[in-house]
Amino acid sequence: MTRFLAHPFDDDKLKEECGVFGVIGVPDAANFVALGLHALQHRGQEAGGIVAHDEHEGFNNARRFGYIRDNFTKADVMQMLPGSLAIGHVRYSTAGSKGNTAIRDVQPFFGEFSMGGAAIAHNGNLTNAAALRRDLIERGAIFQSSSDSECIIHLMARSIQKSLSERIKDALRAVEGAFSVIAMTRTKLIGVRDPLGVRPLVLGRIGDDGFVLSSETCALDIIGAEFVREIDPGEMVVISKGQIESSRPFSPAKSRFCIFEHVYFSRPDSILGGRSVYETRRQIGVELARESPVEADLVCPVPDSGTPAAIGYAAESGIPYGMGIIRNQYMGRTFIEPTEQIRNMGVRLKLNVNRALIKGKRVILVDDSVVRGTTSRKIKDMILDAGAAEVHFRIASPPTAWPCFYGVDTPDRGKLLAATMSEEEMRDWIGVDSLKFISLDGLYRAVGEAKGRDAKSPQYCDACFSGQYPVAPSDQIAQGFEMKAAE
């Protein structure tokens, strides 16, 4: 079996950990789940899995490495997954064996209980998973994977509740961190969001009696489902026979949705909190142009994630917009060993400069974020090699200075450029004429908070920028992580 290696360009981007999708009440539900996961592929490209239930054949599952299109479009695979109820998951490895995932780590996870089988798919990260795991193992649990999400199955097994939905409530009351969970029993599709609502989860309707749960609305579109509403923070929905029951199993808490979903993780054609992700990103560019103007001849996005912000920056500044960098649409993950020569070619394999447009121009490059900064340096070199007179970077997020513990694959803090350098030092290290990030208040204005960020009670989770964690990462603290002191 060929295992795919991450392309060198991808190492300098934050990666969302996974996407979840479930369908009930339609024939061949697994086919709909495969389409939904394909639409959510940007949330996890390492592996995917589907569990389906048929009243005659019971539960069946398939888990594969690689893209959904390469695995779950094959007739022999999909024939293994009959039934009108199915859930699925795409993943990056943010917990467990990062970058070295075993097939047993691929979700959904399945368990047999006294009242029947159940499967779960989890988007997020449990910040007390290590402590839970130790306790469960001491009490006799036998883990099959390195994933934090498997703790939920074992906690369900320990519950004394009489129904699987009540056991899920019990299990999730014991965990900390971020979770948007889709689960299934023989007859029910279940969706739950953590009390802070850090990760997204939406409800859709398909056909006369069918319902859908998904990480994003864009995945509803691909199967022709109607968007109904978002699952509220702290809400649990149980769907069966065309009926939905809603409950609130957790103590009330103020919502702290991940603001980086607006900046980068979600697809631009999705809707978050009633707002178009594309429009929010365009507005980020408008705010950035107001905060950090500079004289230049051309505004260019770093494709594809910087494109909406660059359009907004150009419109607000009056500086022409142009595609100064062209992305190779067919460059995914590489199957060749990343030798030093290939590694140095990394960005050029994926991006190429439009020399005729760039030559002699003062260029503003708009990107979504700077993580390690290595890619920014390479792109700057490409632009200068193409004959640009000046290079100015404008970044559509504040400096990423703190790791995320809620399900995002973030480097150690010491590897985050903004954690070790000031903005001026970063500018000099990258080697550009100017470097400016949008302010936290500017970002909040772009997502619809007219007065900016409420410092005493932030409206979103912005810990990767501010260092203010809405849920203390207890496992990390036990390992020596030092949180930012309260202001």
Side-chain angles (χ1 to χ4, degrees), residues 18 102 109 112 159 161 187 197 204 210 250 269 310 320 334 342 357 396 454 478:
C18 51
F109 291 131
E112 283 283 3
S159 173
Q161 298 297 325
T187 59
F250 312 107
D269 50 335
T334 180
I342 293 295
L357 183 64
D454 183 345

Side-chain angles (χ1 to χ4, degrees), residues 5 24 34 36 60 99 115 125 148 162 205 266 273 278 290 303 325 358 378 382 395 397 400-401 407 446 454 469 474:
L5 298 165
I24 187 172
N60 289 284
M115 64 285 291
N125 204 52
D148 64 325
K162 300 302 182 183
R205 181 187 289 273
S266 295
Y278 173 87
R290 292 170 180 169
I325 301 174
I358 291 292
K378 292 174 184 176
M382 289 168 58
I395 310 301
S397 62
T400 304
D454 183 345
Y469 293 91
S474 54

Side-chain angles (χ1 to χ4, degrees), residues 16-18 20 43 123 179-181 192-194 197-202 214-217 230-231 257-258 261 266 271-272:
E16 173 59 286
E17 79 302 337
C18 51
V20 294
R43 300 184 74 88
N123 174 19
F179 55 85
S180 282
V181 168
V192 195
R193 280 182 84 188
D194 68 76
V198 176
R199 296 278 151 235
L201 189 63
V202 300
S214 174
S215 290
E216 292 185 41
T217 61
E230 293 187 359
I231 304 302
F257 184 65
C258 171
E261 290 278 357
S266 295
I271 305 294
L272 295 176

Side-chain angles (χ1 to χ4, degrees), residues 294 296 298-301 313 319 362-366 392-394:
V294 63
L298 194 65
V299 177
C300 296
Y313 192 104
I319 300 170
R362 298 169 297 174
V363 180
I364 300 171
L365 292 177
V366 181
H392 304 270
F393 258 112
R394 292 297 179 268

Side-chain angles (χ1 to χ4, degrees), residues 51-56 58-60 82-86 184-187:
V51 174
H53 183 268
D54 177 76
E55 61 182 8
H56 301 295
F59 287 94
N60 289 284
S84 60
L85 172 56
M184 62 180 282
T185 67
R186 289 172 296 185
T187 59

Side-chain angles (χ1 to χ4, degrees), residues 417-438:
L417 198 65
T420 59
M421 295 183 185
S422 67
E423 191 174 279
E424 292 75 19
E425 289 170 333
M426 284 189 279
R427 177 200 65 206
D428 294 341
W429 186 84
I430 295 172
V432 289
D433 292 278
S434 71
L435 170 68
K436 295 292 182 182
F437 297 80
I438 193 171

Side-chain angles (χ1 to χ4, degrees), residues 12 47 88 95 103-104 121 136 167 222 393-394 411:
D12 201 26
I103 197 68
R104 65 179 180 270
L136 286 163
R167 288 191 174 206
I222 199 172
F393 258 112
R394 292 297 179 268

